[in-house]
Amino acid sequence: MSVRSVLPHFSFRTTLIILTGFTLSILSCELPQDAVIDNIHLAPAVLSASVTPTVVNTDLINIEPIQLPEDILPITLVASAKLTVASDCVVRYAIFSDRRLDPIAEGELNNIGVFPDISPLDSVFTGDVRFQVQRSFVGNLMLELLAQSSQGVTGTSFVQTILIQRLNQPPVLSNLQAPDTVRTSLQQSFLITVQASDPNGAADIVSVSRITSIMNTYFLNDSGLFGDAIAGDGVFTETVGLTPPPNPGLYQFSFRALDQLNARSNVLLHTIVVLP
């Protein structure tokens, strides 16, 4: 005798009741149309960002009268990040020499309207990025901006390369003022002035000197003393004495300036005739 399965037989009314109950059970699992989707766990991402400056010339940073390779230099950048989700978030920054290593500096941007942030509680976070480098360092650093929710959820970050370089430029001498002729019988001294400037800043000038034909060196000053009219105005002055009086004749002098990296300026020449 063979055995075969027999499907249960339901009346039309019973089938309708079963299908109706099944449909209601599916609908009961759907969200109502006015349900609010909680976005608290959405990952905040940096939509756009800016950093200023992205190139730093450390030869423009002077912390001591003389620049030394071992100087530790403070550097400040301004960074701004616009987020896709700004509510209940923070934006952290980190400076890396190598992202496989620990950051050399970390901090946070702000969104409370504290300078340099402009508008509080918007989607833009702004702040100072502060770190230090040794003057001898030349190369690239990486700045990473990372947004994070209060639940620790992070999105895509923004990475900017910061170029640290040394672009020392030599001083420049101009507007040399010196007499063409002096008479030892009529005067005991005379003034020489010369304008000195430096693209890296006036503080980069170490010395302005007058050099004789036999390589004797005399220094001009910008201290407001010893004949100099105004201190710190870039006009260097020397009061040249004529006592005891030099022998009559032609005297040629060269003038040059040195900066903190011993870069030499252009050379100015001047000849003075000494008469009795």
Side-chain angles (χ1 to χ4, degrees):
M1 179 178 66
S2 63
V3 178
R4 62 188 179 89
S5 299
V6 178
L7 294 174
H9 175 73
F10 300 104
S11 67
F12 173 79
R13 180 182 177 85
T14 303
T15 302
L16 182 60
I17 293 173
I18 293 173
L19 291 175
T20 301
F22 180 70
T23 301
L24 290 174
S25 67
I26 293 176
L27 291 175
S28 67
C29 295
E30 294 181 353
L31 289 173
Q33 292 183 357
D34 60 349
V36 177
I37 299 176
D38 189 359
N39 67 353
I40 196 170
H41 296 299
L42 291 179
V46 177
L47 182 64
S48 61
S50 64
V51 182
T52 305
T54 58
V55 178
V56 178
N57 176 14
T58 56
D59 283 330
L60 296 178
I61 304 174
N62 295 313
I63 59 173
E64 298 290 345
I66 298 177
Q67 293 183 354
L68 300 174
E70 60 268 24
D71 287 342
I72 303 299
L73 306 178
I75 296 176
T76 301
L77 314 176
V78 177
S80 181
K82 184 175 183 179
L83 304 190
T84 54
V85 179
S87 177
D88 200 23
C89 294
V90 295
V91 176
R92 294 189 171 90
Y93 72 78
I95 295 285
F96 297 90
S97 58
D98 189 323
R99 294 184 74 183
R100 295 169 297 181
L101 305 175
D102 291 336
I104 63 175
E106 295 178 286
E108 290 186 5
L109 308 185
N110 85 83
N111 191 21
I112 57 175
V114 175
F115 185 83
D117 187 59
I118 298 175
S119 300
L121 304 179
D122 58 4
S123 61
V124 180
F125 291 68
T126 308
D128 290 335
V129 175
R130 302 178 187 275
F131 60 99
Q132 295 179 325
V133 297
Q134 195 169 50
R135 189 183 298 280
S136 58
F137 175 82
V138 174
N140 290 323
L141 297 175
M142 286 170 286
L143 167 63
E144 181 181 38
L145 301 178
L146 181 66
Q148 186 177 60
S149 71
S150 59
Q151 286 72 37
V153 180
T154 60
T156 56
S157 63
F158 171 85
V159 178
Q160 173 68 55
T161 299
I162 307 298
L163 175 59
I164 307 297
Q165 59 185 2
R166 302 189 68 180
L167 295 176
N168 184 62
Q169 299 182 63
V172 177
L173 292 183
S174 62
N175 195 28
L176 174 64
Q177 301 290 323
D180 295 324
T181 303
V182 296
R183 291 184 175 272
T184 58
S185 59
L186 299 178
Q187 57 194 109
Q188 295 182 336
S189 64
F190 62 90
L191 290 180
I192 295 176
T193 63
V194 64
Q195 182 78 42
S197 61
D198 193 303
N200 297 322
D204 195 37
I205 299 174
V206 172
S207 66
V208 176
S209 58
R210 173 176 64 93
I211 304 166
T212 71
S213 58
I214 59 174
M215 303 308 294
N216 289 332
T217 301
Y218 301 90
F219 294 99
L220 288 73
N221 83 93
D222 188 19
S223 64
L225 303 173
F226 309 110
D228 185 61
I230 302 174
D233 64 349
V235 177
F236 286 73
T237 304
E238 181 192 7
T239 300
V240 182
L242 294 175
T243 304
N247 294 326
L250 298 177
Y251 291 83
Q252 187 178 66
F253 306 107
S254 61
F255 298 83
R256 71 182 182 195
L258 291 177
D259 70 6
Q260 297 190 52
L261 294 180
N262 288 322
R264 296 184 178 186
S265 71
N266 56 312
V267 176
L268 299 181
L269 299 176
H270 188 74
T271 298
I272 297 178
V273 178
V274 175
L275 300 174

